[in-house]
Structures are given as C-alpha cells and as structure tokens.
Amino acid sequence: MSRTIRDGAHIEVARSAARLFLKKGVADTSGDEIAEAAGISKRTLWRYFRTKESCVEPLFALTSQRFATRLGNWPLDISVERFLEINYDFSKMEKQELEDSALVVHLIAGLEEEPALLEPWFMSTRMTEELMAGVIASRLDLSLKDFEVRLCAATVAAAMRIIDETVSRAAVKYGQVPTLAEINDRLAQAIRRASTLPFCDPVTPRPR
Amino acid sequence: MSRTIRDGAHIEVARSAARLFLKKGVADTSGDEIAEAAGISKRTLWRYFRTKESCVEPLFALTSQRFATRLGNWPLDISVERFLEINYDFSKMEKQELEDSALVVHLIAGLEEEPALLEPWFMSTRMTEELMAGVIASRLDLSLKDFEVRLCAATVAAAMRIIDETVSRAAVKYGQVPTLAEINDRLAQAIRRASTLPFCDPVTPRPR
DNA sequence: TCGCTATTGGCACTTAGTGTCATTATTGTG
DNA sequence: CACAATAATGACACTAAGTGCCAATAGCGA
C-alpha cells in the first residue's frame, strides 16, 4: 500500500551511535555525526529517535528486555527453567549478533561514566517490567494492573537489570563475554529469587 | 569564607517547575518560564539543574528516597518495623510539606502521560537503590559492591517505587492523600517482601 | 504501469543548554 | 565595622538538540 521504514533501519543507527558514544563519549558526539555515520539525514534521525541518547535503545532492547519478550511464549504447564532448556538453541551466534553483544556490553559496563545513557537504559528496564507484568498476569490469571502483579514485575525486572549490569561489567573487566546459556541461566535464577508471586512453576489454568 | 547557594534555592525552583509542568505539560513549559517563575535567571537555572525535566528532582527526593535516607540511622539491633515505630513522629505536617506532597503525588500519578519525567523519577529510584545498598551492606557487614547486596537493593528500591506510584495514583483518583504512617507502613512491608537478603530483622555485629 | 501513501531530506526556526566575563553578595577575619 | 577572598549571579553570545514544513522520492499493491 505504501512505503515503509526499512527493516533494520533503527538498529543500524543504534550501532553507529553506540560506536561513536563508546569512542568519544555521548557529550562529544553530535547528532550530525550520528546521522552521517548512519547514512541518514539529521531530520530523519530525529524522526527515528526522541533524543540523542535514546539512539542506543534498540541495542539495550537486546538485553533482559529480549529475554522477557521471549517469555511471552512460555506455556503455562512448565517451569521457567524447563522452558529455557527446551526452547533455546545456544548454538553459535551470528557475527552481527556478536558485534551487537559487544557493543551493548560496553555501553552497560560504562554507565557509571556515562550517566546520560541511564535514561535509555531505564526505559529498557521499564519495558522489561511491562513485558514481565504481562507474563505474570497471564500465568496467574490476574489483571495487568493488579498491585501484586506490578510489584512482582518490578522486582523481577530490577533483578534482571542487575544481572545484565553485573555480567557486562565482568565481561569488560575480564575480557570475556559469557555464553548466552550462562546469561539465560542467571536471568532465570534472578527471576525466581526476586519473585513475590509463584509464577515460575507450572500453573493450572483456572476454569472460566 | 565565601558566598554559598541559599538554603532551599533548589526546592523552590522545583516547586515552580512542578506547578508549571502540571498546569501546561513539560513540553509546553520553557526553561524561561521556569526561571521567571522561580525568580532566577535562565543561566542560573541551568547551573542548578542539568535538564529541564530534572528541575523536579528535589521533589522526587521527598518520596521513598527520603525514606531510604532515614534508614541510614537504623540501629543494627532492631527490626525495620520497630525502627519506624520508635522514630517517626507522625504528627501533623507543615503546610509547606503538605503542598510539596501534593505536587509530588500529582507528578507521579501523571507519569504515564508525561514520559519525559520518567528520567528524573528513575534517577530518584537509582539514588534510593544506592542508599538501600548502603543500609544493607552495613547491616550485613558486606561490601557495597557485593552482587547480593546490589541485587537486594535493586529489588527493594523497585518495590518502593511501585508503592510510591500506587499510592500516588490512588490519591489522585480518590482525592485523598494517605497518611505518612500508612505510607511508611507500606514501604516497610515492601522492603520485607522484596528482600533477597535477611536484613530486616535485628542483626548481630560480627567481631572484627 | 500507475496511483496512493508514507518516508525522506533540506532548510528555517525555536529551545535547551554552555561558555564567558563583569557584577554582586556572602563569609570570615582583624 | 571594614576589608579581602571567594563563590554565586545575571547578561549575552553562541552551539547543538530537536521541530515544523514542504517538495521530492521510494515502496507497495492492484
């Protein structure tokens, strides 16, 4: 029917932005430079992203946020560990995935030195929280707005954020990126640890 | 020896900013307007605050963040509930405190409609988390950087944030502000619920 | 191929925010 | 009280982030 934004357009800008931020810092990277590096006009850059800092949001979305998105496919009748065991092919990542992982790990590890990036990072955590609220509400047949659901989603998302931060800092410090399996394992543990509701195990659907 | 910034200067700007944000929205409030309402120059406004949105941070600091600050005075040998019971005079608030509470409640209740204020709100939660990490590390004689401390502080701070949000939305919806006692009670409960470490009860100092 | 629709880029513009410097106000000391 | 030292303040020029507008362009389906 009509023209659409090219697949991958946003993530490509995010990669350019991330490289520049890591190389020269956020403050010393201009919107002009990001647009040029990404091969788009400045006007389009500001259409794609609300602020300079939020240019890296697509990369932050590859963290626990993506994990939470996948939990949207979690059947009611198995535990979180079992779901991950069955569903995740931990075979070798593509080259592009490796590069994206390295970029996001370095961004997260450097958050203390770049507080300007805390906003997009928190926006990512907030999305994780919304996604987890959906998962929890669905499994326990509760409303998305239920206080207990919101509380549980918040503690779980916070725990997942700490895992991401801890793993990223260690990766940069020790020069090695943990495997996807290891990260998923830690995230699953974090979910159990931080849960204020019993949603990690198989649940029986309630008759309607 | 030399001139200092007047006590209350920041909170007064925050009040002006909050009133304007609530009245006309963040986007339609200019830095000029905030500075004028606060009786300072624009140059000084930008000395006081890093961004327009962060002008309300002093008000957000009056929430669970302040509660966490007070927990810094919590003796090792009593539980969190006991500490609050002994230490908090829930007598009538001053007029200014009431006004500040109303402002911050309305800001928090309106966060869904004003995503621009999420950044200062998250910065407040982050400070709460740092404060709680200090409390937890101190009570359990662990390092501030310990993973378990960080995890526990993150889940607790997230839970406290949810309480603040829930209470604020209810207050605006039902037109009544809960008492300070009620809020403190809920925050204490949230701390217990979300804790991944046993720091809420009396602890025995370890011999050094 | 064509019509429709959304995307894009160029450009003018506004606002948020920074650098600079002279002026002003606070503070401590004699 | 006077004075010196110091930091805060305001005015102004400026830059960069971000917005509005409109013509040109490109993608999509029939």
Side-chain angles (χ1 to χ4, degrees), chain A residues 1-4 29-32 42-43 46-47 50-52:
Chain A
M1 173 67 83
S2 67
R3 188 176 177 178
T4 53
T29 299
S30 67
D32 276 7
K42 210 164 64 157
R43 189 63 193 86
W46 303 127
R47 284 206 185 89
R50 1 167 222 98
T51 66
K52 184 172 75 172

Side-chain angles (χ1 to χ4, degrees), chain B residues 4 17 21 34 37 40 47 51 73 112 124 134 138 156 169 206:
Chain B
T4 54
F21 290 164
I34 297 173
I40 59 174
R47 285 206 184 89
T51 67
N73 301 322
E112 294 288 335
S124 175
S138 176
V156 167
R169 284 191 203 115
R206 298 184 182 216

Side-chain angles (χ1 to χ4, degrees), chain B residues 1-4 29-31 42-43 46-47 50-52:
Chain B
M1 170 67 81
S2 66
R3 188 175 177 178
T4 54
T29 299
S30 67
K42 209 164 70 159
R43 189 65 195 85
W46 303 127
R47 285 206 184 89
R50 19 171 203 93
T51 67
K52 184 173 74 172

